[in-house]
Amino acid sequence: MNNEERFWNATMEELIKGYVYDGMDEKYVCLLCSESFEDGIIYPIDGTLYEAKKAVVCHIQHAHRSVFDYYIDLDKKYTGLTDHQKELLLHFKEGLSDKEIVQKQNGGSASTVRNHRFKLKEKEKQAKVFLAIMTLLHESSNQKKEQQFVSFHKGAKMVDDRYAITEAEEDKVLSTYFKEGIDGKLDTFPSKEKRKLIVLQNIMRRFELNKTYMEKEVNDILKSVYSDYVTIRRYLIEYGFMERSKDCLQYWVKK
């Protein structure tokens, strides 16, 4: 299971903690970046030794500031929050009063902030009920591949109905464009957007998380997939699968 699947399959409790325990491999895995800590191993962090469970908590604090900070920075597509709502939530987290928030924002009124508090609380209630409804739906239905959607990375750009791809669609596209198998060469690069996304997501399986690649390394990997590696590289950046440094010399998987 890749980290995208692990993230979207996590329980609410696991999402709040920011990590899951993988019983098969006996390790704690950060849901935010896939960094893992093997049970039974002691990890030195800032001069202190930690067991794996405590080490993943320390990792989240050092690498991501907090689970709250990571989630609040996610795109609106995943949080449903406007920039203004995110700003208010950050102020609420600081424990600021309505009047203090008005002063920080240099405008508005305490009653407006109070109204936002109320609306966000209502949004929370609605989200809980909706989550319960969807959980009950999944438990009571036997969804087939034609009904189950493919999970895309959280850094995906321009998320719209192009990303509404079922597992059955993914299987069909991959078998069409990777005739030698999903680990083989790409036959042709598709022109349709949905198919591009499926192909690009599969190509990303050849890159490791938490690793920085030089441009030549990226090119070598992509050349083994498709002759026009420059086009593939451009789309990986354009669709948010990868990021690169300003001088375009270093590349890494977008988390």
PDB file of all heavy atoms in Angstrom, residues 19 24 27 30 39 45-46 64 67 123 134 143 152 165 173 183 187 193-195 197 217 223 231:
ATOM      1  N   TYR A  19      -0.233   9.404  12.169  1.00  0.00           N
ATOM      2  CA  TYR A  19       0.542   8.199  11.852  1.00  0.00           C
ATOM      3  C   TYR A  19      -0.319   6.961  12.053  1.00  0.00           C
ATOM      4  O   TYR A  19      -1.360   7.000  12.716  1.00  0.00           O
ATOM      5  CB  TYR A  19       1.807   8.110  12.704  1.00  0.00           C
ATOM      6  CG  TYR A  19       1.559   7.908  14.181  1.00  0.00           C
ATOM      7  CD1 TYR A  19       1.404   6.633  14.730  1.00  0.00           C
ATOM      8  CD2 TYR A  19       1.482   8.995  15.052  1.00  0.00           C
ATOM      9  CE1 TYR A  19       1.173   6.439  16.080  1.00  0.00           C
ATOM     10  CE2 TYR A  19       1.252   8.817  16.404  1.00  0.00           C
ATOM     11  CZ  TYR A  19       1.103   7.542  16.915  1.00  0.00           C
ATOM     12  OH  TYR A  19       0.865   7.351  18.258  1.00  0.00           O
ATOM     13  N   MET A  24       1.811  -5.565   9.771  1.00  0.00           N
ATOM     14  CA  MET A  24       2.487  -6.552   8.931  1.00  0.00           C
ATOM     15  C   MET A  24       4.003  -6.344   8.951  1.00  0.00           C
ATOM     16  O   MET A  24       4.777  -7.289   9.081  1.00  0.00           O
ATOM     17  CB  MET A  24       1.955  -6.475   7.501  1.00  0.00           C
ATOM     18  CG  MET A  24       2.530  -7.542   6.584  1.00  0.00           C
ATOM     19  SD  MET A  24       1.763  -7.528   4.955  1.00  0.00           S
ATOM     20  CE  MET A  24       0.092  -8.056   5.357  1.00  0.00           C
ATOM     21  N   LYS A  27       5.842  -1.520  12.006  1.00  0.00           N
ATOM     22  CA  LYS A  27       6.446  -0.187  12.003  1.00  0.00           C
ATOM     23  C   LYS A  27       5.362   0.881  12.089  1.00  0.00           C
ATOM     24  O   LYS A  27       4.203   0.648  11.727  1.00  0.00           O
ATOM     25  CB  LYS A  27       7.282   0.024  10.733  1.00  0.00           C
ATOM     26  CG  LYS A  27       6.488  -0.065   9.432  1.00  0.00           C
ATOM     27  CD  LYS A  27       7.394   0.060   8.223  1.00  0.00           C
ATOM     28  CE  LYS A  27       6.584  -0.019   6.919  1.00  0.00           C
ATOM     29  NZ  LYS A  27       7.454   0.076   5.729  1.00  0.00           N
ATOM     30  N   CYS A  30       4.419   7.611   9.230  1.00  0.00           N
ATOM     31  CA  CYS A  30       3.881   8.968   9.194  1.00  0.00           C
ATOM     32  C   CYS A  30       2.937   9.091   8.000  1.00  0.00           C
ATOM     33  O   CYS A  30       3.325   8.819   6.865  1.00  0.00           O
ATOM     34  CB  CYS A  30       5.021   9.986   9.077  1.00  0.00           C
ATOM     35  SG  CYS A  30       4.460  11.697   8.851  1.00  0.00           S
ATOM     36  N   ASP A  39       9.300  -0.937  14.834  1.00  0.00           N
ATOM     37  CA  ASP A  39       9.104  -1.317  16.230  1.00  0.00           C
ATOM     38  C   ASP A  39      10.301  -2.135  16.711  1.00  0.00           C
ATOM     39  O   ASP A  39      10.822  -2.983  15.993  1.00  0.00           O
ATOM     40  CB  ASP A  39       7.820  -2.143  16.364  1.00  0.00           C
ATOM     41  CG  ASP A  39       7.129  -1.922  17.687  1.00  0.00           C
ATOM     42  OD1 ASP A  39       7.629  -1.119  18.494  1.00  0.00           O
ATOM     43  OD2 ASP A  39       6.079  -2.543  17.914  1.00  0.00           O
ATOM     44  N   ILE A  45      17.122  11.176  18.486  1.00  0.00           N
ATOM     45  CA  ILE A  45      16.605  12.435  17.944  1.00  0.00           C
ATOM     46  C   ILE A  45      17.023  13.569  18.870  1.00  0.00           C
ATOM     47  O   ILE A  45      16.640  13.585  20.048  1.00  0.00           O
ATOM     48  CB  ILE A  45      15.069  12.410  17.803  1.00  0.00           C
ATOM     49  CG1 ILE A  45      14.629  11.268  16.881  1.00  0.00           C
ATOM     50  CG2 ILE A  45      14.554  13.742  17.255  1.00  0.00           C
ATOM     51  CD1 ILE A  45      13.121  11.096  16.766  1.00  0.00           C
ATOM     52  N   ASP A  46      17.823  14.486  18.355  1.00  0.00           N
ATOM     53  CA  ASP A  46      18.305  15.638  19.138  1.00  0.00           C
ATOM     54  C   ASP A  46      18.935  15.210  20.462  1.00  0.00           C
ATOM     55  O   ASP A  46      18.679  15.803  21.523  1.00  0.00           O
ATOM     56  CB  ASP A  46      17.159  16.629  19.404  1.00  0.00           C
ATOM     57  CG  ASP A  46      16.696  17.334  18.139  1.00  0.00           C
ATOM     58  OD1 ASP A  46      17.460  17.345  17.160  1.00  0.00           O
ATOM     59  OD2 ASP A  46      15.565  17.853  18.131  1.00  0.00           O
ATOM     60  N   HIS A  64       6.958  18.511  10.327  1.00  0.00           N
ATOM     61  CA  HIS A  64       5.687  19.084   9.856  1.00  0.00           C
ATOM     62  C   HIS A  64       5.096  20.121  10.811  1.00  0.00           C
ATOM     63  O   HIS A  64       3.981  20.575  10.606  1.00  0.00           O
ATOM     64  CB  HIS A  64       4.667  17.969   9.634  1.00  0.00           C
ATOM     65  CG  HIS A  64       5.170  16.850   8.776  1.00  0.00           C
ATOM     66  ND1 HIS A  64       5.418  17.001   7.422  1.00  0.00           N
ATOM     67  CD2 HIS A  64       5.504  15.564   9.082  1.00  0.00           C
ATOM     68  CE1 HIS A  64       5.866  15.850   6.926  1.00  0.00           C
ATOM     69  NE2 HIS A  64       5.925  14.971   7.911  1.00  0.00           N
ATOM     70  N   VAL A  67       0.341  18.125  13.130  1.00  0.00           N
ATOM     71  CA  VAL A  67      -0.642  17.557  12.205  1.00  0.00           C
ATOM     72  C   VAL A  67      -1.615  18.652  11.779  1.00  0.00           C
ATOM     73  O   VAL A  67      -1.993  18.743  10.605  1.00  0.00           O
ATOM     74  CB  VAL A  67      -1.402  16.384  12.868  1.00  0.00           C
ATOM     75  CG1 VAL A  67      -2.450  15.822  11.915  1.00  0.00           C
ATOM     76  CG2 VAL A  67      -0.425  15.283  13.280  1.00  0.00           C
ATOM     77  N   LYS A 123     -20.365  23.619  10.456  1.00  0.00           N
ATOM     78  CA  LYS A 123     -19.683  22.836   9.414  1.00  0.00           C
ATOM     79  C   LYS A 123     -19.096  21.564  10.022  1.00  0.00           C
ATOM     80  O   LYS A 123     -19.137  20.491   9.414  1.00  0.00           O
ATOM     81  CB  LYS A 123     -18.565  23.695   8.802  1.00  0.00           C
ATOM     82  CG  LYS A 123     -17.899  23.112   7.565  1.00  0.00           C
ATOM     83  CD  LYS A 123     -16.827  24.076   7.074  1.00  0.00           C
ATOM     84  CE  LYS A 123     -16.154  23.559   5.814  1.00  0.00           C
ATOM     85  NZ  LYS A 123     -16.997  23.697   4.622  1.00  0.00           N
ATOM     86  N   MET A 134     -21.328   8.150   5.184  1.00  0.00           N
ATOM     87  CA  MET A 134     -20.460   7.494   4.218  1.00  0.00           C
ATOM     88  C   MET A 134     -19.860   6.211   4.779  1.00  0.00           C
ATOM     89  O   MET A 134     -19.678   5.221   4.058  1.00  0.00           O
ATOM     90  CB  MET A 134     -19.348   8.450   3.775  1.00  0.00           C
ATOM     91  CG  MET A 134     -19.841   9.651   2.983  1.00  0.00           C
ATOM     92  SD  MET A 134     -20.803   9.187   1.510  1.00  0.00           S
ATOM     93  CE  MET A 134     -19.530   8.418   0.491  1.00  0.00           C
ATOM     94  N   GLN A 143     -19.072  -2.584  -3.038  1.00  0.00           N
ATOM     95  CA  GLN A 143     -18.719  -1.813  -4.223  1.00  0.00           C
ATOM     96  C   GLN A 143     -17.753  -2.583  -5.121  1.00  0.00           C
ATOM     97  O   GLN A 143     -16.797  -3.189  -4.659  1.00  0.00           O
ATOM     98  CB  GLN A 143     -18.080  -0.478  -3.824  1.00  0.00           C
ATOM     99  CG  GLN A 143     -19.044   0.442  -3.098  1.00  0.00           C
ATOM    100  CD  GLN A 143     -18.478   1.823  -2.977  1.00  0.00           C
ATOM    101  OE1 GLN A 143     -18.241   2.505  -3.974  1.00  0.00           O
ATOM    102  NE2 GLN A 143     -18.256   2.254  -1.755  1.00  0.00           N
ATOM    103  N   PHE A 152      -5.552   9.866  -5.608  1.00  0.00           N
ATOM    104  CA  PHE A 152      -4.433  10.631  -6.156  1.00  0.00           C
ATOM    105  C   PHE A 152      -3.717  11.368  -5.035  1.00  0.00           C
ATOM    106  O   PHE A 152      -4.287  11.609  -3.972  1.00  0.00           O
ATOM    107  CB  PHE A 152      -4.909  11.616  -7.226  1.00  0.00           C
ATOM    108  CG  PHE A 152      -5.125  10.975  -8.572  1.00  0.00           C
ATOM    109  CD1 PHE A 152      -6.350  10.407  -8.894  1.00  0.00           C
ATOM    110  CD2 PHE A 152      -4.098  10.906  -9.487  1.00  0.00           C
ATOM    111  CE1 PHE A 152      -6.543   9.792 -10.122  1.00  0.00           C
ATOM    112  CE2 PHE A 152      -4.280  10.299 -10.729  1.00  0.00           C
ATOM    113  CZ  PHE A 152      -5.503   9.742 -11.052  1.00  0.00           C
ATOM    114  N   ILE A 165     -11.647   8.844 -11.462  1.00  0.00           N
ATOM    115  CA  ILE A 165     -11.209   7.661 -12.194  1.00  0.00           C
ATOM    116  C   ILE A 165     -11.437   6.424 -11.333  1.00  0.00           C
ATOM    117  O   ILE A 165     -10.980   6.352 -10.195  1.00  0.00           O
ATOM    118  CB  ILE A 165      -9.709   7.778 -12.547  1.00  0.00           C
ATOM    119  CG1 ILE A 165      -9.468   8.999 -13.454  1.00  0.00           C
ATOM    120  CG2 ILE A 165      -9.214   6.497 -13.209  1.00  0.00           C
ATOM    121  CD1 ILE A 165      -8.005   9.365 -13.592  1.00  0.00           C
ATOM    122  N   VAL A 173      -6.756   1.413 -18.814  1.00  0.00           N
ATOM    123  CA  VAL A 173      -5.802   2.356 -19.415  1.00  0.00           C
ATOM    124  C   VAL A 173      -4.380   1.829 -19.295  1.00  0.00           C
ATOM    125  O   VAL A 173      -3.597   1.865 -20.264  1.00  0.00           O
ATOM    126  CB  VAL A 173      -5.923   3.742 -18.740  1.00  0.00           C
ATOM    127  CG1 VAL A 173      -4.759   4.646 -19.158  1.00  0.00           C
ATOM    128  CG2 VAL A 173      -7.244   4.396 -19.121  1.00  0.00           C
ATOM    129  N   ASP A 183       5.286  -2.209 -15.172  1.00  0.00           N
ATOM    130  CA  ASP A 183       6.693  -1.875 -14.907  1.00  0.00           C
ATOM    131  C   ASP A 183       7.505  -1.767 -16.195  1.00  0.00           C
ATOM    132  O   ASP A 183       8.718  -1.538 -16.148  1.00  0.00           O
ATOM    133  CB  ASP A 183       7.326  -2.930 -13.989  1.00  0.00           C
ATOM    134  CG  ASP A 183       6.689  -2.934 -12.611  1.00  0.00           C
ATOM    135  OD1 ASP A 183       6.364  -1.841 -12.106  1.00  0.00           O
ATOM    136  OD2 ASP A 183       6.503  -4.025 -12.042  1.00  0.00           O
ATOM    137  N   ASP A 187       3.884   2.628 -24.207  1.00  0.00           N
ATOM    138  CA  ASP A 187       3.739   2.449 -25.646  1.00  0.00           C
ATOM    139  C   ASP A 187       3.608   3.798 -26.354  1.00  0.00           C
ATOM    140  O   ASP A 187       4.375   4.129 -27.256  1.00  0.00           O
ATOM    141  CB  ASP A 187       2.506   1.590 -25.934  1.00  0.00           C
ATOM    142  CG  ASP A 187       2.664   0.751 -27.168  1.00  0.00           C
ATOM    143  OD1 ASP A 187       3.742   0.142 -27.314  1.00  0.00           O
ATOM    144  OD2 ASP A 187       1.732   0.719 -27.988  1.00  0.00           O
ATOM    145  N   GLU A 193      -6.887  13.837 -21.035  1.00  0.00           N
ATOM    146  CA  GLU A 193      -6.411  14.213 -19.713  1.00  0.00           C
ATOM    147  C   GLU A 193      -6.500  13.085 -18.694  1.00  0.00           C
ATOM    148  O   GLU A 193      -5.563  12.837 -17.948  1.00  0.00           O
ATOM    149  CB  GLU A 193      -7.205  15.434 -19.200  1.00  0.00           C
ATOM    150  CG  GLU A 193      -6.992  16.686 -20.032  1.00  0.00           C
ATOM    151  CD  GLU A 193      -5.541  17.150 -20.007  1.00  0.00           C
ATOM    152  OE1 GLU A 193      -5.024  17.390 -18.911  1.00  0.00           O
ATOM    153  OE2 GLU A 193      -4.934  17.237 -21.080  1.00  0.00           O
ATOM    154  N   LYS A 194      -7.639  12.414 -18.627  1.00  0.00           N
ATOM    155  CA  LYS A 194      -7.805  11.337 -17.648  1.00  0.00           C
ATOM    156  C   LYS A 194      -6.740  10.266 -17.827  1.00  0.00           C
ATOM    157  O   LYS A 194      -6.160   9.770 -16.856  1.00  0.00           O
ATOM    158  CB  LYS A 194      -9.194  10.710 -17.780  1.00  0.00           C
ATOM    159  CG  LYS A 194     -10.250  11.306 -16.864  1.00  0.00           C
ATOM    160  CD  LYS A 194     -11.471  10.400 -16.806  1.00  0.00           C
ATOM    161  CE  LYS A 194     -12.484  10.944 -15.809  1.00  0.00           C
ATOM    162  NZ  LYS A 194     -13.623  10.030 -15.622  1.00  0.00           N
ATOM    163  N   ARG A 195      -6.505   9.904 -19.065  1.00  0.00           N
ATOM    164  CA  ARG A 195      -5.525   8.855 -19.342  1.00  0.00           C
ATOM    165  C   ARG A 195      -4.113   9.318 -18.992  1.00  0.00           C
ATOM    166  O   ARG A 195      -3.292   8.524 -18.513  1.00  0.00           O
ATOM    167  CB  ARG A 195      -5.617   8.432 -20.812  1.00  0.00           C
ATOM    168  CG  ARG A 195      -6.954   7.786 -21.157  1.00  0.00           C
ATOM    169  CD  ARG A 195      -7.068   7.445 -22.626  1.00  0.00           C
ATOM    170  NE  ARG A 195      -8.387   6.909 -22.950  1.00  0.00           N
ATOM    171  CZ  ARG A 195      -8.774   6.571 -24.167  1.00  0.00           C
ATOM    172  NH1 ARG A 195      -7.932   6.722 -25.199  1.00  0.00           N
ATOM    173  NH2 ARG A 195      -9.994   6.092 -24.374  1.00  0.00           N
ATOM    174  N   LEU A 197      -3.316  11.335 -16.577  1.00  0.00           N
ATOM    175  CA  LEU A 197      -3.194  11.256 -15.127  1.00  0.00           C
ATOM    176  C   LEU A 197      -2.913   9.833 -14.664  1.00  0.00           C
ATOM    177  O   LEU A 197      -2.068   9.607 -13.793  1.00  0.00           O
ATOM    178  CB  LEU A 197      -4.480  11.773 -14.467  1.00  0.00           C
ATOM    179  CG  LEU A 197      -4.700  13.284 -14.555  1.00  0.00           C
ATOM    180  CD1 LEU A 197      -6.132  13.637 -14.173  1.00  0.00           C
ATOM    181  CD2 LEU A 197      -3.728  14.018 -13.641  1.00  0.00           C
ATOM    182  N   GLU A 217      19.318  12.080 -13.174  1.00  0.00           N
ATOM    183  CA  GLU A 217      18.711  10.864 -12.615  1.00  0.00           C
ATOM    184  C   GLU A 217      17.249  10.746 -13.035  1.00  0.00           C
ATOM    185  O   GLU A 217      16.778   9.668 -13.383  1.00  0.00           O
ATOM    186  CB  GLU A 217      18.806  10.886 -11.091  1.00  0.00           C
ATOM    187  CG  GLU A 217      20.221  10.768 -10.541  1.00  0.00           C
ATOM    188  CD  GLU A 217      20.235  10.836  -9.026  1.00  0.00           C
ATOM    189  OE1 GLU A 217      20.012  11.936  -8.475  1.00  0.00           O
ATOM    190  OE2 GLU A 217      20.459   9.786  -8.386  1.00  0.00           O
ATOM    191  N   LYS A 223      13.663   7.978 -19.310  1.00  0.00           N
ATOM    192  CA  LYS A 223      14.081   7.404 -20.594  1.00  0.00           C
ATOM    193  C   LYS A 223      13.776   5.911 -20.657  1.00  0.00           C
ATOM    194  O   LYS A 223      13.506   5.360 -21.729  1.00  0.00           O
ATOM    195  CB  LYS A 223      15.594   7.613 -20.794  1.00  0.00           C
ATOM    196  CG  LYS A 223      15.977   9.020 -21.228  1.00  0.00           C
ATOM    197  CD  LYS A 223      17.504   9.134 -21.339  1.00  0.00           C
ATOM    198  CE  LYS A 223      17.923  10.557 -21.635  1.00  0.00           C
ATOM    199  NZ  LYS A 223      19.405  10.704 -21.652  1.00  0.00           N
ATOM    200  N   THR A 231       8.817  15.526 -22.289  1.00  0.00           N
ATOM    201  CA  THR A 231       7.371  15.755 -22.175  1.00  0.00           C
ATOM    202  C   THR A 231       6.829  15.160 -20.882  1.00  0.00           C
ATOM    203  O   THR A 231       6.050  15.803 -20.168  1.00  0.00           O
ATOM    204  CB  THR A 231       6.636  15.137 -23.377  1.00  0.00           C
ATOM    205  OG1 THR A 231       7.015  15.843 -24.561  1.00  0.00           O
ATOM    206  CG2 THR A 231       5.122  15.244 -23.202  1.00  0.00           C
TER     207      THR A 231
END
